[in-house]
Amino acid sequence: MNTVTGAGVNHDTEFLASEVCQICPTRETALFANIKPKDLDEMHSPIKYMICEKGEKLYGMNEKAEYIYTLHDGVVKLEQSLPSGERRIVRLLRRGDLIGVEAVTAAEYQHDVIAMTKVNLCKIPAELVLKFSARSAELHANLMGKWQDALTTSDIWLTKFSTGNSRYRVVRLLIWLSENCHHEEFYMPGREDIGNMLSLTTETVSRTIAGLRRDGDLELLRADRARVDVAVLKKIVKESV
Amino acid sequence: MNTVTGAGVNHDTEFLASEVCQICPTRETALFANIKPKDLDEMHSPIKYMICEKGEKLYGMNEKAEYIYTLHDGVVKLEQSLPSGERRIVRLLRRGDLIGVEAVTAAEYQHDVIAMTKVNLCKIPAELVLKFSARSAELHANLMGKWQDALTTSDIWLTKFSTGNSRYRVVRLLIWLSENCHHEEFYMPGREDIGNMLSLTTETVSRTIAGLRRDGDLELLRADRARVDVAVLKKIVKESV
DNA sequence: CGCCAGCTTGACTACATTCAATTGTAGTGG
DNA sequence: CCACTACAATTGAATGTAGTCAAGCTGGCG
């Protein structure tokens, strides 16, 4: 665990995004997709592009929420902890997702957000988004679309990742991970993190994954990279292939 | 189980809401809170007030999403079913909540929505909301607030209702049910429904509840009404009282 | 009054957790 | 480059908790 306090963000890598927004790698899916270049200019960007290393904390629960982030590359986890000490990962975010949308409506962030890989993102003042969302119909629509996406994902996590036995849960997670990735091989989080997504212990996750490997349903490449045959996995959980 | 097909809604009780919106019982918390009366008039209300009996289905998953509903009284469940046949309740909605917000951004509803009690609601064309949300800053803000609420609730369901052993889950649900109710006694769903909220079987829920009753931590009044001492329950799950 | 659905209880089984020990792996510095 | 360290993953054995199957019970309603 990287011992980073506070925002723990590498500020050296920040720079104004005014020129880069136009060639944004996530232009299609990001918050500002379809926004007229004129509108974009008008915001004359206090937007900052930045990089966050694996293990770093972007922000913590109950911190004052002032910025929204668009995620260009990498994976972050949204975590909440219970008074009893247990931690639960409530969502993973990746390319194209928004981090901390609650900054628009709420005063405080609702999660601990931690980079699971090296992460590229843009930091946008929430105020800016709020102001422009009232003016730009496109931005307004995009924003609602993002809320909707988050909620749909939440529902999936409830139905697919919190229901059924350990085998089903792990398999459903693997399907989701591989389908949300464009390559053959996909990012596979550590066993403890997987456990915190599925409400299982590391040991149970480890055993289940070992079982899938024995059956030839999962191939581990590196520590955090794997490959699966989605069709086979879907048969296991009886989903239509 | 009420054998209702399709929308299964009691259309006899619908009527134009143009006159009633002004005296709406849920005015404070509802979607149109803070909206200028002038704006409200302009919409000259194709909004319909209606009543839905216990057990009736408001709409089903994958149905075309054309209406948003504001819930004035009663409780509805949002359910999803897995290909394996299991059902999972992903949220309960009650007074002040919006049903089917996805109608604004998505083409199809994402859940089966079923009345758990007798329910009063207003049926609003999604198109209307979309159109006005672009124009009225207040409505726009309200709408985002509702998205936010739904997401916060989802997170709670993941962290509190899907983590820990059966006792913890049931107790946390009881706390939530009683805190979200203004009376001493609160609505308590059937054992099967509770099971589908917590990913537990009816038997386990029944046993757990029986245990709480034996310990004097829960008092059953009628079949679907109960009373608890929240402070005591919070001690059980180690939450700050 | 009797029926039925929902709730409860019991006995047994299956499964995940716990605790503990071991192996594997990535990163560090000599 | 290798040895060493720290941490992550794996495996085993014992325990505990929830699931399953089956049988009664209860209360509301025709």
Side-chain angles (χ1 to χ4, degrees):
Chain A
M1 166 61 190
N2 219 317
T3 52
V4 178
T5 55
V9 158
N10 186 358
H11 287 279
D12 296 335
T13 53
E14 290 188 6
F15 56 89
L16 284 183
S18 27
E19 327 83 35
V20 262
C21 276
Q22 312 278 357
I23 54 160
C24 173
T26 326
R27 199 75 208 286
E28 304 307 307
T29 50
L31 189 58
F32 296 122
N34 317 318
I35 306 296
K36 302 184 195 75
K38 195 181 63 107
D39 279 355
L40 210 53
D41 284 344
E42 255 188 67
M43 299 165 69
H44 56 14
S45 314
I47 297 174
K48 283 179 180 159
Y49 182 83
M50 48 187 270
I51 290 172
C52 198
E53 292 299 327
K54 177 172 176 168
E56 281 186 330
K57 183 151 121 186
L58 195 58
Y59 58 74
M61 189 156 174
N62 296 328
E63 276 179 29
K64 196 175 168 204
E66 293 179 291
Y67 298 96
I68 290 183
Y69 302 82
T70 59
L71 181 46
H72 296 309
D73 201 30
V75 183
V76 304
K77 57 179 172 183
L78 307 201
E79 241 181 350
Q80 288 186 329
S81 51
L82 289 165
S84 51
E86 301 158 293
R87 299 185 70 75
R88 170 93 200 206
I89 297 176
V90 296
R91 246 168 299 149
L92 294 189
L93 300 181
R94 46 181 94 217
R95 176 171 250 266
D97 287 328
L98 279 188
I99 309 173
V101 221
E102 62 260 42
V104 177
T105 54
E108 294 173 357
Y109 288 119
Q110 316 253 348
H111 314 94
D112 294 324
V113 173
I114 295 159
M116 300 183 83
T117 65
K118 183 176 177 181
V119 157
N120 299 330
L121 23 78
C122 272
K123 183 180 183 176
I124 311 167
E127 210 181 72
L128 191 75
V129 176
L130 186 59
K131 208 173 67 183
F132 270 82
S133 74
R135 228 185 293 170
S136 155
E138 293 90 352
L139 180 54
H140 176 224
N142 287 351
L143 202 54
M144 292 213 295
K146 294 295 179 185
W147 281 115
Q148 161 76 43
D149 289 346
L151 208 48
T152 302
T153 307
S154 262
D155 290 342
I156 290 177
W157 283 55
L158 274 167
T159 50
K160 298 198 171 176
F161 301 162
S162 306
T163 311
N165 65 26
S166 60
R167 192 148 207 263
Y168 279 34
R169 292 192 202 181
V170 170
V171 168
R172 291 200 197 104
L173 180 66
L174 292 175
I175 293 173
W176 187 80
L177 284 171
S178 70
E179 282 192 336
N180 279 279
C181 182
H182 314 287
H183 320 294
E184 266 289 302
E185 78 184 67
F186 59 89
Y187 167 68
M188 177 135 127
R191 306 293 172 273
E192 190 178 350
D193 279 333
I194 294 180
N196 288 338
M197 297 182 214
L198 306 177
S199 273
L200 298 172
T201 58
T202 36
E203 292 94 330
T204 301
V205 173
S206 178
R207 277 185 247 270
T208 310
I209 286 178
L212 290 170
R213 283 221 277 167
R214 265 193 296 278
D215 298 350
D217 295 332
L218 172 70
E219 186 186 356
L220 278 188
L221 305 169
R222 267 178 293 148
D224 58 352
R225 301 251 114 204
R227 181 160 33 195
V228 294
D229 182 347
V230 177
V232 172
L233 292 188
K234 285 194 172 178
K235 212 169 284 174
I236 295 178
V237 293
K238 295 173 200 135
E239 276 188 34
S240 55
V241 184
Chain B
M1 167 62 191
N2 218 317
T3 53
V4 178
T5 54
V9 156
N10 186 356
H11 287 278
D12 295 336
T13 52
E14 290 187 8
F15 55 89
L16 286 183
S18 28
E19 327 81 35
V20 262
C21 275
Q22 313 279 357
I23 53 160
C24 172
T26 327
R27 198 76 208 284
E28 303 307 307
T29 50
L31 188 58
F32 297 121
N34 317 319
I35 306 296
K36 301 184 195 77
K38 194 180 65 104
D39 278 354
L40 210 54
D41 284 344
E42 254 187 67
M43 299 165 69
H44 55 14
S45 312
I47 296 173
K48 283 179 179 158
Y49 182 84
M50 48 188 270
I51 290 171
C52 198
E53 291 300 326
K54 177 173 178 169
E56 280 185 330
K57 182 151 123 187
L58 195 56
Y59 58 74
M61 189 157 173
N62 296 326
E63 275 179 29
K64 196 174 167 204
E66 294 179 290
Y67 298 95
I68 289 182
Y69 302 82
T70 59
L71 180 47
H72 297 308
D73 201 29
V75 183
V76 304
K77 57 178 172 182
L78 307 201
E79 239 180 353
Q80 288 185 330
S81 52
L82 289 166
S84 50
E86 302 158 291
R87 299 185 70 77
R88 170 91 200 208
I89 298 176
V90 295
R91 246 168 298 147
L92 294 190
L93 299 182
R94 45 180 96 214
R95 174 171 252 266
D97 287 327
L98 279 188
I99 308 173
V101 221
E102 63 261 42
V104 178
T105 55
E108 294 173 357
Y109 288 120
Q110 316 254 348
H111 314 93
D112 294 324
V113 173
I114 295 158
M116 300 183 82
T117 64
K118 183 177 175 180
V119 156
N120 300 331
L121 23 78
C122 272
K123 182 180 184 177
I124 312 167
E127 211 181 71
L128 191 76
V129 176
L130 187 59
K131 208 173 67 184
F132 271 83
S133 73
R135 227 184 295 169
S136 156
E138 293 90 352
L139 180 53
H140 176 221
N142 287 352
L143 201 54
M144 293 213 294
K146 293 296 178 183
W147 281 114
Q148 162 77 42
D149 289 346
L151 209 48
T152 302
T153 308
S154 260
D155 290 342
I156 290 177
W157 282 56
L158 274 167
T159 50
K160 298 198 171 175
F161 301 161
S162 305
T163 312
N165 64 26
S166 60
R167 190 149 207 263
Y168 278 34
R169 293 193 200 179
V170 170
V171 168
R172 291 200 198 104
L173 180 65
L174 291 175
I175 293 173
W176 187 79
L177 284 171
S178 70
E179 283 192 336
N180 278 279
C181 182
H182 314 287
H183 320 293
E184 266 291 302
E185 80 184 65
F186 59 90
Y187 167 66
M188 178 135 126
R191 306 293 172 273
E192 190 179 349
D193 279 332
I194 294 180
N196 287 338
M197 296 183 215
L198 306 177
S199 272
L200 298 172
T201 58
T202 35
E203 292 94 330
T204 301
V205 173
S206 178
R207 276 186 249 270
T208 310
I209 285 176
L212 291 169
R213 282 221 277 167
R214 265 193 297 277
D215 299 350
D217 295 331
L218 171 70
E219 186 186 356
L220 281 188
L221 305 169
R222 266 177 295 146
D224 58 353
R225 301 252 113 204
R227 182 161 30 198
V228 295
D229 182 346
V230 177
V232 173
L233 292 188
K234 285 196 173 179
K235 212 170 282 173
I236 296 178
V237 293
K238 296 173 197 132
E239 275 187 38
S240 54
V241 184

